[in-house]
Tab-separated table of all heavy atoms in Angstrom:
chain	number	residue	atom	x	y	z
A	1	ILE	N	31.166	141.418	35.867
A	1	ILE	CA	32.046	141.190	34.660
A	1	ILE	C	33.472	140.916	35.118
A	1	ILE	O	34.116	139.897	34.691
A	1	ILE	CB	31.977	142.363	33.721
A	1	ILE	CG1	30.649	142.459	33.060
A	1	ILE	CG2	33.053	142.200	32.659
A	1	ILE	CD1	30.431	143.745	32.244
A	2	THR	N	33.981	141.719	36.000
A	2	THR	CA	35.400	141.584	36.491
A	2	THR	C	35.491	140.281	37.329
A	2	THR	O	36.484	139.544	37.170
A	2	THR	CB	35.794	142.805	37.334
A	2	THR	OG1	35.587	143.949	36.582
A	2	THR	CG2	37.246	142.679	37.726
A	3	LEU	N	34.509	140.001	38.124
A	3	LEU	CA	34.542	138.802	38.960
A	3	LEU	C	34.509	137.504	38.155
A	3	LEU	O	35.178	136.568	38.456
A	3	LEU	CB	33.355	138.868	39.960
A	3	LEU	CG	33.380	137.885	41.140
A	3	LEU	CD1	34.659	137.939	41.918
A	3	LEU	CD2	32.231	138.163	42.072
A	4	ASN	N	33.686	137.479	37.115
A	4	ASN	CA	33.608	136.288	36.234
A	4	ASN	C	34.953	136.029	35.584
A	4	ASN	O	35.387	134.865	35.533
A	4	ASN	CB	32.546	136.477	35.151
A	4	ASN	CG	31.123	136.412	35.743
A	4	ASN	OD1	30.919	135.782	36.778
A	4	ASN	ND2	30.152	136.978	35.077
A	5	LEU	N	35.601	137.043	35.130
A	5	LEU	CA	36.983	136.863	34.503
A	5	LEU	C	37.974	136.400	35.591
A	5	LEU	O	38.784	135.522	35.306
A	5	LEU	CB	37.427	138.162	33.870
A	5	LEU	CG	36.607	138.646	32.674
A	5	LEU	CD1	37.070	140.052	32.223
A	5	LEU	CD2	36.782	137.679	31.494
A	6	ALA	N	37.835	137.025	36.770
A	6	ALA	CA	38.813	136.660	37.831
A	6	ALA	C	38.640	135.205	38.329
A	6	ALA	O	39.656	134.528	38.537
A	6	ALA	CB	38.589	137.584	39.008
A	7	LEU	N	37.419	134.756	38.375
A	7	LEU	CA	37.158	133.390	38.829
A	7	LEU	C	37.785	132.359	37.888
A	7	LEU	O	38.317	131.328	38.340
A	7	LEU	CB	35.659	133.127	38.954
A	7	LEU	CG	34.947	133.877	40.064
A	7	LEU	CD1	33.441	133.570	40.067
A	7	LEU	CD2	35.505	133.484	41.427
A	8	ARG	N	37.778	132.588	36.587
A	8	ARG	CA	38.356	131.716	35.646
A	8	ARG	C	39.878	131.584	35.899
A	8	ARG	O	40.458	130.486	35.804
A	8	ARG	CB	38.078	132.142	34.224
A	8	ARG	CG	36.644	132.045	33.834
A	8	ARG	CD	36.371	132.657	32.454
A	8	ARG	NE	34.989	132.986	32.216
A	8	ARG	CZ	34.543	133.758	31.293
A	8	ARG	NH1	35.419	134.408	30.491
A	8	ARG	NH2	33.235	133.974	31.121
A	9	LYS	N	40.503	132.735	36.119
A	9	LYS	CA	41.944	132.702	36.358
A	9	LYS	C	42.279	132.028	37.681
A	9	LYS	O	43.232	131.279	37.821
A	9	LYS	CB	42.486	134.162	36.320
A	9	LYS	CG	42.302	134.861	35.004
A	9	LYS	CD	42.815	136.326	35.055
A	9	LYS	CE	42.623	137.010	33.733
A	9	LYS	NZ	43.094	138.475	33.844
A	10	LEU	N	41.492	132.370	38.737
A	10	LEU	CA	41.738	131.810	40.055
A	10	LEU	C	41.569	130.340	40.087
A	10	LEU	O	42.313	129.627	40.840
A	10	LEU	CB	40.837	132.483	41.071
A	10	LEU	CG	41.123	133.930	41.434
A	10	LEU	CD1	40.032	134.514	42.245
A	10	LEU	CD2	42.426	134.127	42.144
A	11	GLU	N	40.670	129.788	39.354
A	11	GLU	CA	40.425	128.348	39.275
A	11	GLU	C	41.709	127.611	38.846
A	11	GLU	O	42.010	126.513	39.328
A	11	GLU	CB	39.268	127.974	38.337
A	11	GLU	CG	37.917	128.284	38.873
A	11	GLU	CD	37.434	127.233	39.910
A	11	GLU	OE1	38.194	126.368	40.300
A	11	GLU	OE2	36.294	127.301	40.292
A	12	GLN	N	42.445	128.246	37.929
A	12	GLN	CA	43.686	127.628	37.437
A	12	GLN	C	44.818	127.706	38.441
A	12	GLN	O	45.784	126.969	38.411
A	12	GLN	CB	44.109	128.324	36.131
A	12	GLN	CG	43.064	128.277	35.012
A	12	GLN	CD	42.692	126.888	34.627
A	12	GLN	OE1	43.577	126.015	34.512
A	12	GLN	NE2	41.374	126.617	34.421
A	13	MET	N	44.679	128.681	39.353
A	13	MET	CA	45.775	128.890	40.307
A	13	MET	C	45.597	128.154	41.676
A	13	MET	O	46.534	128.016	42.447
A	13	MET	CB	45.938	130.392	40.561
A	13	MET	CG	46.185	131.199	39.300
A	13	MET	SD	46.112	133.002	39.542
A	13	MET	CE	47.600	133.224	40.509
A	14	LEU	N	44.333	127.832	41.960
A	14	LEU	CA	44.060	127.192	43.318
A	14	LEU	C	44.644	125.785	43.342
A	14	LEU	O	44.656	125.078	42.316
A	14	LEU	CB	42.553	127.111	43.526
A	14	LEU	CG	41.911	128.420	43.865
A	14	LEU	CD1	40.363	128.269	43.819
A	14	LEU	CD2	42.341	128.890	45.254
A	15	PRO	N	45.191	125.361	44.466
A	15	PRO	CA	45.708	123.973	44.568
A	15	PRO	C	44.607	123.007	44.390
A	15	PRO	O	43.462	123.134	44.840
A	15	PRO	CB	46.293	123.927	45.997
A	15	PRO	CG	45.586	125.022	46.770
A	15	PRO	CD	45.278	126.084	45.734
A	16	LYS	N	44.857	121.909	43.668
A	16	LYS	CA	43.933	120.823	43.432
A	16	LYS	C	43.666	120.122	44.738
A	16	LYS	O	44.510	120.019	45.605
A	16	LYS	CB	44.414	119.867	42.379
A	16	LYS	CG	44.759	120.513	41.041
A	16	LYS	CD	43.601	121.248	40.470
A	16	LYS	CE	43.955	121.916	39.150
A	16	LYS	NZ	42.774	122.694	38.624
A	17	PRO	N	42.452	119.567	44.945
A	17	PRO	CA	42.128	118.769	46.152
A	17	PRO	C	43.108	117.675	46.366
A	17	PRO	O	43.412	116.906	45.485
A	17	PRO	CB	40.773	118.221	45.911
A	17	PRO	CG	40.132	119.255	44.867
A	17	PRO	CD	41.291	119.696	44.042
A	18	GLY	N	43.699	117.635	47.548
A	18	GLY	CA	44.689	116.633	47.906
A	18	GLY	C	46.085	116.956	47.629
A	18	GLY	O	47.036	116.312	48.060
A	19	ALA	N	46.327	118.119	46.873
A	19	ALA	CA	47.676	118.527	46.596
A	19	ALA	C	48.251	119.298	47.703
A	19	ALA	O	47.562	119.984	48.464
A	19	ALA	CB	47.699	119.373	45.315
A	20	ALA	N	49.568	119.179	47.892
A	20	ALA	CA	50.240	119.936	48.990
A	20	ALA	C	50.208	121.424	48.623
A	20	ALA	O	50.545	121.793	47.557
A	20	ALA	CB	51.671	119.425	49.157
A	21	PRO	N	49.868	122.294	49.544
A	21	PRO	CA	49.820	123.709	49.289
A	21	PRO	C	51.200	124.255	49.045
A	21	PRO	O	52.187	123.814	49.740
A	21	PRO	CB	49.163	124.304	50.522
A	21	PRO	CG	49.450	123.314	51.610
A	21	PRO	CD	49.489	121.973	50.968
A	22	ALA	N	51.280	125.196	48.160
A	22	ALA	CA	52.580	125.848	47.838
A	22	ALA	C	52.937	126.748	49.023
A	22	ALA	O	52.112	127.328	49.668
A	22	ALA	CB	52.539	126.677	46.570
A	23	ALA	N	54.316	126.890	49.250
A	23	ALA	CA	54.751	127.744	50.373
A	23	ALA	C	54.424	129.180	50.003
A	23	ALA	O	54.669	129.618	48.920
A	23	ALA	CB	56.252	127.573	50.550
A	24	ALA	N	53.848	129.927	50.917
A	24	ALA	CA	53.455	131.298	50.682
A	24	ALA	C	54.732	132.189	50.717
A	24	ALA	O	55.540	132.045	51.621
A	24	ALA	CB	52.476	131.776	51.729
A	25	PRO	N	54.883	133.112	49.765
A	25	PRO	CA	55.986	134.027	49.833
A	25	PRO	C	55.878	134.990	51.003
A	25	PRO	O	54.829	135.327	51.465
A	25	PRO	CB	55.872	134.796	48.448
A	25	PRO	CG	54.387	134.706	48.131
A	25	PRO	CD	53.968	133.404	48.656
A	26	VAL	N	57.014	135.430	51.492
A	26	VAL	CA	56.992	136.407	52.537
A	26	VAL	C	56.731	137.775	52.015
A	26	VAL	O	57.519	138.274	51.230
A	26	VAL	CB	58.376	136.390	53.312
A	26	VAL	CG1	58.358	137.452	54.417
A	26	VAL	CG2	58.626	135.042	53.839
A	27	ALA	N	55.590	138.354	52.356
A	27	ALA	CA	55.152	139.639	51.777
A	27	ALA	C	56.087	140.711	52.218
A	27	ALA	O	56.400	140.845	53.400
A	27	ALA	CB	53.710	139.945	52.149
A	28	GLY	N	56.416	141.578	51.266
A	28	GLY	CA	57.180	142.822	51.610
A	28	GLY	C	58.627	142.595	51.894
A	28	GLY	O	59.340	143.497	52.278
A	29	GLY	N	59.106	141.356	51.721
A	29	GLY	CA	60.481	141.066	52.061
A	29	GLY	C	61.519	141.759	51.216
A	29	GLY	O	62.633	142.020	51.608
A	30	ALA	N	61.099	142.038	49.951
A	30	ALA	CA	62.053	142.684	49.036
A	30	ALA	C	62.001	144.210	49.116
A	30	ALA	O	62.691	144.867	48.377
A	30	ALA	CB	61.742	142.217	47.612
A	31	HIS	N	61.219	144.792	50.025
A	31	HIS	CA	61.068	146.202	50.076
A	31	HIS	C	61.883	146.758	51.216
A	31	HIS	O	61.962	146.234	52.296
A	31	HIS	CB	59.575	146.556	50.258
A	31	HIS	CG	58.710	146.113	49.151
A	31	HIS	ND1	58.854	146.528	47.852
A	31	HIS	CD2	57.625	145.237	49.152
A	31	HIS	CE1	57.932	145.926	47.126
A	31	HIS	NE2	57.228	145.184	47.843
A	32	ASP	N	62.500	147.896	50.940
A	32	ASP	CA	63.190	148.613	52.025
A	32	ASP	C	62.210	149.616	52.690
A	32	ASP	O	62.518	150.118	53.758
A	32	ASP	CB	64.343	149.420	51.412
A	32	ASP	CG	65.456	148.529	50.932
A	32	ASP	OD1	65.663	147.416	51.538
A	32	ASP	OD2	66.085	148.893	49.977
A	33	GLY	N	61.063	149.826	52.119
A	33	GLY	CA	60.105	150.727	52.699
A	33	GLY	C	59.418	151.484	51.534
A	33	GLY	O	59.839	151.575	50.445
A	34	MET	N	58.305	152.147	51.919
A	34	MET	CA	57.539	152.916	50.918
A	34	MET	C	57.580	154.371	51.220
A	34	MET	O	57.361	154.770	52.380
A	34	MET	CB	56.106	152.435	50.962
A	34	MET	CG	55.169	153.140	50.010
A	34	MET	SD	53.511	152.462	50.035
A	34	MET	CE	52.669	153.631	48.889
A	35	PRO	N	57.957	155.237	50.330
A	35	PRO	CA	58.079	156.699	50.610
A	35	PRO	C	56.712	157.345	50.545
A	35	PRO	O	55.880	157.031	49.683
A	35	PRO	CB	58.947	157.193	49.484
A	35	PRO	CG	58.722	156.236	48.340
A	35	PRO	CD	58.474	154.905	48.923
A	36	LEU	N	56.479	158.259	51.469
A	36	LEU	CA	55.241	159.083	51.522
A	36	LEU	C	55.638	160.500	51.842
A	36	LEU	O	56.712	160.742	52.445
A	36	LEU	CB	54.231	158.558	52.548
A	36	LEU	CG	53.581	157.174	52.310
A	36	LEU	CD1	52.675	156.901	53.508
A	36	LEU	CD2	52.755	157.157	51.017
A	37	ARG	N	54.767	161.439	51.480
A	37	ARG	CA	55.025	162.840	51.848
A	37	ARG	C	54.203	163.136	53.122
A	37	ARG	O	53.165	162.532	53.350
A	37	ARG	CB	54.604	163.806	50.735
A	37	ARG	CG	53.140	163.693	50.356
A	37	ARG	CD	52.776	164.673	49.259
A	37	ARG	NE	51.411	164.545	48.856
A	37	ARG	CZ	50.371	165.159	49.417
A	37	ARG	NH1	50.593	166.020	50.393
A	37	ARG	NH2	49.143	164.994	48.972
A	38	ILE	N	54.660	164.066	53.893
A	38	ILE	CA	53.945	164.506	55.098
A	38	ILE	C	52.878	165.555	54.706
A	38	ILE	O	53.161	166.483	53.922
A	38	ILE	CB	54.924	165.118	56.097
A	38	ILE	CG1	55.803	164.074	56.693
A	38	ILE	CG2	54.121	165.827	57.233
A	38	ILE	CD1	55.132	163.018	57.525
A	39	ALA	N	51.669	165.367	55.238
A	39	ALA	CA	50.628	166.310	54.956
A	39	ALA	C	49.955	166.633	56.314
A	39	ALA	O	49.860	165.773	57.198
A	39	ALA	CB	49.622	165.785	53.979
A	40	HIS	N	49.465	167.866	56.415
A	40	HIS	CA	48.713	168.242	57.611
A	40	HIS	C	47.203	168.213	57.291
A	40	HIS	O	46.777	168.578	56.208
A	40	HIS	CB	49.077	169.681	58.022
A	40	HIS	CG	50.472	169.852	58.577
A	40	HIS	ND1	51.112	171.033	58.638
A	40	HIS	CD2	51.334	168.873	59.009
A	40	HIS	CE1	52.335	170.825	59.114
A	40	HIS	NE2	52.463	169.543	59.336
A	41	LEU	N	46.433	167.723	58.268
A	41	LEU	CA	44.990	167.639	58.078
A	41	LEU	C	44.376	169.022	58.003
A	41	LEU	O	44.607	169.850	58.897
A	41	LEU	CB	44.364	166.815	59.231
A	41	LEU	CG	42.918	166.352	59.066
A	41	LEU	CD1	42.846	165.362	57.911
A	41	LEU	CD2	42.418	165.756	60.339
A	42	GLN	N	43.601	169.306	56.936
A	42	GLN	CA	42.997	170.589	56.829
A	42	GLN	C	41.861	170.758	57.890
A	42	GLN	O	41.105	169.750	58.119
A	42	GLN	CB	42.411	170.788	55.377
A	42	GLN	CG	43.461	170.751	54.314
A	42	GLN	CD	44.457	171.904	54.478
A	42	GLN	OE1	44.091	173.072	54.728
A	42	GLN	NE2	45.728	171.576	54.351
A	43	GLN	N	41.743	171.893	58.418
A	43	GLN	CA	40.685	172.110	59.465
A	43	GLN	C	39.309	171.746	58.982
A	43	GLN	O	38.935	172.193	57.898
A	43	GLN	CB	40.743	173.532	59.949
A	43	GLN	CG	39.866	173.805	61.200
A	43	GLN	CD	40.069	175.186	61.692
A	43	GLN	OE1	40.735	176.023	61.118
A	43	GLN	NE2	39.461	175.506	62.874
C-alpha cells in the first residue's frame, strides 16, 4: 500500500528521459551536528 502511493509521487519527481539531471544538494551541509546522549552497554 505504501509502495504504491510512493511510486505515484516518485514518477512525478524523476527526471524525464533525455532531460539534464538536477544538481544534487549537499547532504548535511546545513547541520552543525546531531546531539546524542552517552549510554553504557548493559551486560
Side-chain angles (χ1 to χ4, degrees):
I1 291 172
T2 306
L3 192 52
N4 287 335
L5 294 172
L7 290 178
R8 294 173 195 163
K9 296 178 182 178
L10 290 170
E11 284 283 10
Q12 303 300 317
M13 303 172 70
L14 287 169
K16 304 301 179 185
V26 178
H31 299 300
D32 293 328
M34 178 178 177
L36 292 178
R37 63 180 175 86
I38 291 293
H40 292 162
L41 192 66
Q42 297 298 315
Q43 188 174 7

